[in-house]
mmCIF file of all heavy atoms in Angstrom:
data_model
loop_
_atom_site.group_PDB
_atom_site.id
_atom_site.type_symbol
_atom_site.label_atom_id
_atom_site.label_comp_id
_atom_site.label_asym_id
_atom_site.label_seq_id
_atom_site.Cartn_x
_atom_site.Cartn_y
_atom_site.Cartn_z
ATOM 1 N N THR A 14 -9.284 2.268 -11.016
ATOM 2 C CA THR A 14 -9.695 1.279 -10.022
ATOM 3 C C THR A 14 -8.543 0.538 -9.453
ATOM 4 O O THR A 14 -8.419 0.303 -8.243
ATOM 5 C CB THR A 14 -10.669 0.264 -10.679
ATOM 6 O OG1 THR A 14 -11.840 0.984 -11.154
ATOM 7 C CG2 THR A 14 -11.121 -0.780 -9.661
ATOM 8 N N LEU A 15 -7.579 0.144 -10.310
ATOM 9 C CA LEU A 15 -6.390 -0.566 -9.838
ATOM 10 C C LEU A 15 -5.523 0.327 -8.936
ATOM 11 O O LEU A 15 -4.942 -0.149 -7.988
ATOM 12 C CB LEU A 15 -5.578 -1.077 -11.045
ATOM 13 C CG LEU A 15 -6.213 -2.238 -11.827
ATOM 14 C CD1 LEU A 15 -5.434 -2.482 -13.113
ATOM 15 C CD2 LEU A 15 -6.263 -3.492 -10.990
ATOM 16 N N GLU A 16 -5.438 1.575 -9.276
ATOM 17 C CA GLU A 16 -4.655 2.519 -8.426
ATOM 18 C C GLU A 16 -5.306 2.641 -7.073
ATOM 19 O O GLU A 16 -4.613 2.707 -6.035
ATOM 20 C CB GLU A 16 -4.539 3.853 -9.126
ATOM 21 C CG GLU A 16 -3.711 4.885 -8.336
ATOM 22 C CD GLU A 16 -2.312 4.420 -8.081
ATOM 23 O OE1 GLU A 16 -1.732 3.740 -8.944
ATOM 24 O OE2 GLU A 16 -1.765 4.729 -6.980
ATOM 25 N N ARG A 17 -6.645 2.656 -7.058
ATOM 26 C CA ARG A 17 -7.341 2.676 -5.762
ATOM 27 C C ARG A 17 -7.008 1.432 -4.956
ATOM 28 O O ARG A 17 -6.776 1.509 -3.745
ATOM 29 C CB ARG A 17 -8.863 2.791 -6.001
ATOM 30 C CG ARG A 17 -9.709 2.744 -4.742
ATOM 31 C CD ARG A 17 -11.096 2.283 -5.039
ATOM 32 N NE ARG A 17 -11.088 0.890 -5.511
ATOM 33 C CZ ARG A 17 -12.152 0.274 -6.046
ATOM 34 N NH1 ARG A 17 -13.269 0.913 -6.225
ATOM 35 N NH2 ARG A 17 -12.054 -0.993 -6.421
ATOM 36 N N ASP A 18 -7.014 0.290 -5.631
ATOM 37 C CA ASP A 18 -6.677 -0.991 -4.930
ATOM 38 C C ASP A 18 -5.253 -0.986 -4.396
ATOM 39 O O ASP A 18 -4.984 -1.503 -3.332
ATOM 40 C CB ASP A 18 -6.899 -2.175 -5.884
ATOM 41 C CG ASP A 18 -8.337 -2.378 -6.286
ATOM 42 O OD1 ASP A 18 -9.212 -1.824 -5.573
ATOM 43 O OD2 ASP A 18 -8.597 -3.039 -7.280
ATOM 44 N N ARG A 19 -4.350 -0.387 -5.157
ATOM 45 C CA ARG A 19 -2.970 -0.347 -4.719
ATOM 46 C C ARG A 19 -2.841 0.549 -3.497
ATOM 47 O O ARG A 19 -2.138 0.191 -2.520
ATOM 48 C CB ARG A 19 -2.037 0.158 -5.820
ATOM 49 C CG ARG A 19 -0.562 0.240 -5.411
ATOM 50 C CD ARG A 19 0.378 0.403 -6.565
ATOM 51 N NE ARG A 19 0.165 1.656 -7.292
ATOM 52 C CZ ARG A 19 0.943 2.044 -8.313
ATOM 53 N NH1 ARG A 19 1.957 1.269 -8.743
ATOM 54 N NH2 ARG A 19 0.715 3.175 -8.922
ATOM 55 N N ARG A 20 -3.492 1.691 -3.494
ATOM 56 C CA ARG A 20 -3.438 2.579 -2.343
ATOM 57 C C ARG A 20 -4.075 1.906 -1.120
ATOM 58 O O ARG A 20 -3.613 2.043 0.018
ATOM 59 C CB ARG A 20 -4.114 3.914 -2.668
ATOM 60 C CG ARG A 20 -3.360 4.788 -3.634
ATOM 61 C CD ARG A 20 -3.892 6.211 -3.597
ATOM 62 N NE ARG A 20 -5.324 6.278 -3.848
ATOM 63 C CZ ARG A 20 -5.854 6.467 -5.073
ATOM 64 N NH1 ARG A 20 -5.090 6.605 -6.102
ATOM 65 N NH2 ARG A 20 -7.152 6.530 -5.188
ATOM 66 N N GLY A 21 -5.193 1.168 -1.377
ATOM 67 C CA GLY A 21 -5.842 0.490 -0.266
ATOM 68 C C GLY A 21 -4.955 -0.570 0.335
ATOM 69 O O GLY A 21 -4.888 -0.728 1.565
ATOM 70 N N ALA A 22 -4.272 -1.353 -0.498
ATOM 71 C CA ALA A 22 -3.359 -2.395 -0.003
ATOM 72 C C ALA A 22 -2.212 -1.767 0.770
ATOM 73 O O ALA A 22 -1.776 -2.279 1.817
ATOM 74 C CB ALA A 22 -2.828 -3.233 -1.165
ATOM 75 N N ALA A 23 -1.714 -0.634 0.291
ATOM 76 C CA ALA A 23 -0.602 0.052 0.992
ATOM 77 C C ALA A 23 -1.074 0.563 2.354
ATOM 78 O O ALA A 23 -0.363 0.459 3.356
ATOM 79 C CB ALA A 23 -0.078 1.209 0.145
ATOM 80 N N ALA A 24 -2.292 1.142 2.401
ATOM 81 C CA ALA A 24 -2.817 1.634 3.686
ATOM 82 C C ALA A 24 -3.036 0.490 4.678
ATOM 83 O O ALA A 24 -2.740 0.615 5.854
ATOM 84 C CB ALA A 24 -4.144 2.385 3.428
ATOM 85 N N ARG A 25 -3.540 -0.632 4.157
ATOM 86 C CA ARG A 25 -3.759 -1.798 5.029
ATOM 87 C C ARG A 25 -2.412 -2.323 5.548
ATOM 88 O O ARG A 25 -2.309 -2.655 6.723
ATOM 89 C CB ARG A 25 -4.500 -2.882 4.259
ATOM 90 C CG ARG A 25 -4.847 -4.121 5.093
ATOM 91 C CD ARG A 25 -5.917 -4.932 4.412
ATOM 92 N NE ARG A 25 -5.572 -5.327 3.071
ATOM 93 C CZ ARG A 25 -6.020 -4.811 1.938
ATOM 94 N NH1 ARG A 25 -6.881 -3.804 1.961
ATOM 95 N NH2 ARG A 25 -5.631 -5.272 0.757
ATOM 96 N N LEU A 26 -1.426 -2.346 4.713
ATOM 97 C CA LEU A 26 -0.107 -2.817 5.095
ATOM 98 C C LEU A 26 0.511 -1.906 6.173
ATOM 99 O O LEU A 26 1.047 -2.327 7.176
ATOM 100 C CB LEU A 26 0.827 -2.891 3.900
ATOM 101 C CG LEU A 26 2.193 -3.552 4.057
ATOM 102 C CD1 LEU A 26 2.071 -4.954 4.645
ATOM 103 C CD2 LEU A 26 2.909 -3.604 2.701
ATOM 104 N N ASN A 27 0.346 -0.597 5.958
ATOM 105 C CA ASN A 27 0.842 0.390 6.946
ATOM 106 C C ASN A 27 0.106 0.223 8.267
ATOM 107 O O ASN A 27 0.711 0.319 9.358
ATOM 108 C CB ASN A 27 0.666 1.803 6.428
ATOM 109 C CG ASN A 27 1.770 2.185 5.450
ATOM 110 O OD1 ASN A 27 2.924 1.803 5.590
ATOM 111 N ND2 ASN A 27 1.388 2.954 4.418
ATOM 112 N N GLY A 28 -1.205 -0.017 8.249
ATOM 113 C CA GLY A 28 -1.970 -0.198 9.461
ATOM 114 C C GLY A 28 -1.481 -1.382 10.249
ATOM 115 O O GLY A 28 -1.375 -1.322 11.507
ATOM 116 N N ILE A 29 -1.233 -2.496 9.616
ATOM 117 C CA ILE A 29 -0.750 -3.692 10.295
ATOM 118 C C ILE A 29 0.590 -3.419 10.962
ATOM 119 O O ILE A 29 0.894 -3.936 12.053
ATOM 120 C CB ILE A 29 -0.662 -4.867 9.339
ATOM 121 C CG1 ILE A 29 -2.049 -5.182 8.742
ATOM 122 C CG2 ILE A 29 -0.123 -6.120 10.033
ATOM 123 C CD1 ILE A 29 -1.979 -6.152 7.578
ATOM 124 N N LEU A 30 1.421 -2.593 10.322
ATOM 125 C CA LEU A 30 2.766 -2.277 10.810
ATOM 126 C C LEU A 30 2.759 -1.099 11.765
ATOM 127 O O LEU A 30 3.838 -0.635 12.154
ATOM 128 C CB LEU A 30 3.699 -1.964 9.632
ATOM 129 C CG LEU A 30 3.919 -3.125 8.653
ATOM 130 C CD1 LEU A 30 4.718 -2.637 7.451
ATOM 131 C CD2 LEU A 30 4.627 -4.288 9.353
ATOM 132 N N ALA A 31 1.572 -0.631 12.204
ATOM 133 C CA ALA A 31 1.454 0.471 13.129
ATOM 134 C C ALA A 31 2.116 1.737 12.588
ATOM 135 O O ALA A 31 2.712 2.508 13.328
ATOM 136 C CB ALA A 31 2.057 0.101 14.494
ATOM 137 N N ARG A 32 1.914 1.972 11.289
ATOM 138 C CA ARG A 32 2.421 3.190 10.622
ATOM 139 C C ARG A 32 1.212 4.002 10.191
ATOM 140 O O ARG A 32 0.106 3.470 9.984
ATOM 141 C CB ARG A 32 3.302 2.863 9.417
ATOM 142 C CG ARG A 32 4.493 1.990 9.722
ATOM 143 C CD ARG A 32 5.194 1.606 8.433
ATOM 144 N NE ARG A 32 6.005 2.694 7.882
ATOM 145 C CZ ARG A 32 6.091 3.001 6.598
ATOM 146 N NH1 ARG A 32 5.371 2.314 5.707
ATOM 147 N NH2 ARG A 32 6.875 3.989 6.173
ATOM 148 N N PRO A 33 1.357 5.309 10.024
ATOM 149 C CA PRO A 33 0.271 6.096 9.463
ATOM 150 C C PRO A 33 -0.168 5.536 8.087
ATOM 151 O O PRO A 33 0.687 5.085 7.331
ATOM 152 C CB PRO A 33 0.874 7.500 9.327
ATOM 153 C CG PRO A 33 1.931 7.550 10.401
ATOM 154 C CD PRO A 33 2.504 6.140 10.441
ATOM 155 N N ALA A 34 -1.451 5.572 7.831
ATOM 156 C CA ALA A 34 -1.990 4.946 6.622
ATOM 157 C C ALA A 34 -1.369 5.505 5.343
ATOM 158 O O ALA A 34 -1.232 4.785 4.348
ATOM 159 C CB ALA A 34 -3.507 5.117 6.572
ATOM 160 N N ASN A 35 -0.988 6.789 5.341
ATOM 161 C CA ASN A 35 -0.424 7.419 4.176
ATOM 162 C C ASN A 35 1.100 7.382 4.129
ATOM 163 O O ASN A 35 1.701 8.071 3.314
ATOM 164 C CB ASN A 35 -0.928 8.853 4.042
ATOM 165 C CG ASN A 35 -0.532 9.709 5.227
ATOM 166 O OD1 ASN A 35 -0.055 9.166 6.249
ATOM 167 N ND2 ASN A 35 -0.700 11.015 5.122
ATOM 168 N N SER A 36 1.734 6.612 4.960
ATOM 169 C CA SER A 36 3.200 6.490 4.945
ATOM 170 C C SER A 36 3.645 5.930 3.586
ATOM 171 O O SER A 36 3.049 5.030 3.040
ATOM 172 C CB SER A 36 3.674 5.587 6.067
ATOM 173 O OG SER A 36 3.372 6.127 7.347
ATOM 174 N N PRO A 37 4.721 6.516 3.058
ATOM 175 C CA PRO A 37 5.161 6.040 1.736
ATOM 176 C C PRO A 37 5.710 4.619 1.758
ATOM 177 O O PRO A 37 6.367 4.207 2.721
ATOM 178 C CB PRO A 37 6.234 7.084 1.345
ATOM 179 C CG PRO A 37 6.729 7.601 2.663
ATOM 180 C CD PRO A 37 5.575 7.588 3.584
ATOM 181 N N LEU A 38 5.471 3.898 0.689
ATOM 182 C CA LEU A 38 6.021 2.596 0.462
ATOM 183 C C LEU A 38 6.652 2.530 -0.901
ATOM 184 O O LEU A 38 6.119 3.105 -1.855
ATOM 185 C CB LEU A 38 4.940 1.506 0.559
ATOM 186 C CG LEU A 38 4.379 1.170 1.970
ATOM 187 C CD1 LEU A 38 3.198 0.200 1.807
ATOM 188 C CD2 LEU A 38 5.444 0.568 2.852
ATOM 189 N N ALA A 39 7.783 1.867 -1.012
ATOM 190 C CA ALA A 39 8.453 1.683 -2.298
ATOM 191 C C ALA A 39 7.615 0.799 -3.200
ATOM 192 O O ALA A 39 6.812 0.005 -2.743
ATOM 193 C CB ALA A 39 9.827 1.137 -2.125
ATOM 194 N N GLU A 40 7.840 0.946 -4.476
ATOM 195 C CA GLU A 40 7.169 0.021 -5.432
ATOM 196 C C GLU A 40 7.683 -1.392 -5.185
ATOM 197 O O GLU A 40 8.874 -1.618 -4.974
ATOM 198 C CB GLU A 40 7.423 0.412 -6.865
ATOM 199 C CG GLU A 40 6.769 1.723 -7.277
ATOM 200 C CD GLU A 40 6.944 1.996 -8.756
ATOM 201 O OE1 GLU A 40 7.706 1.264 -9.411
ATOM 202 O OE2 GLU A 40 6.303 2.975 -9.241
ATOM 203 N N PRO A 41 6.797 -2.390 -5.189
ATOM 204 C CA PRO A 41 7.234 -3.798 -4.974
ATOM 205 C C PRO A 41 8.141 -4.244 -6.091
ATOM 206 O O PRO A 41 7.899 -3.953 -7.251
ATOM 207 C CB PRO A 41 5.926 -4.580 -4.935
ATOM 208 C CG PRO A 41 4.949 -3.732 -5.673
ATOM 209 C CD PRO A 41 5.344 -2.298 -5.458
ATOM 210 N N ALA A 42 9.185 -4.946 -5.756
ATOM 211 C CA ALA A 42 10.167 -5.422 -6.731
ATOM 212 C C ALA A 42 9.763 -6.750 -7.373
ATOM 213 O O ALA A 42 10.385 -7.174 -8.323
ATOM 214 C CB ALA A 42 11.551 -5.577 -6.073
ATOM 215 N N GLY A 43 8.733 -7.381 -6.874
ATOM 216 C CA GLY A 43 8.298 -8.665 -7.433
ATOM 217 C C GLY A 43 7.610 -9.524 -6.400
ATOM 218 O O GLY A 43 7.578 -9.193 -5.221
ATOM 219 N N TRP A 44 7.074 -10.614 -6.873
ATOM 220 C CA TRP A 44 6.366 -11.537 -6.000
ATOM 221 C C TRP A 44 7.352 -12.176 -5.000
ATOM 222 O O TRP A 44 8.474 -12.478 -5.349
ATOM 223 C CB TRP A 44 5.714 -12.663 -6.816
ATOM 224 C CG TRP A 44 4.596 -12.285 -7.689
ATOM 225 C CD1 TRP A 44 4.639 -12.146 -9.028
ATOM 226 C CD2 TRP A 44 3.264 -11.931 -7.300
ATOM 227 N NE1 TRP A 44 3.411 -11.778 -9.504
ATOM 228 C CE2 TRP A 44 2.537 -11.645 -8.444
ATOM 229 C CE3 TRP A 44 2.615 -11.832 -6.067
ATOM 230 C CZ2 TRP A 44 1.207 -11.262 -8.439
ATOM 231 C CZ3 TRP A 44 1.282 -11.489 -6.039
ATOM 232 C CH2 TRP A 44 0.593 -11.193 -7.231
#
């Protein structure tokens, strides 16, 4: 479930940035 949430957040972030939803993102380094 958490992995699904992480992928969803990444897709949403890519969408806001006008990138393809499946564009790779690095692991976050911290808050």
Side-chain angles (χ1 to χ4, degrees):
T14 301
L15 289 171
E16 181 59 35
R17 178 204 63 192
D18 294 342
R19 180 165 65 176
R20 291 196 303 268
R25 184 162 57 256
L26 188 55
N27 281 323
I29 300 169
L30 297 173
R32 304 174 76 220
N35 60 348
S36 297
L38 288 173
E40 291 186 353
W44 292 106

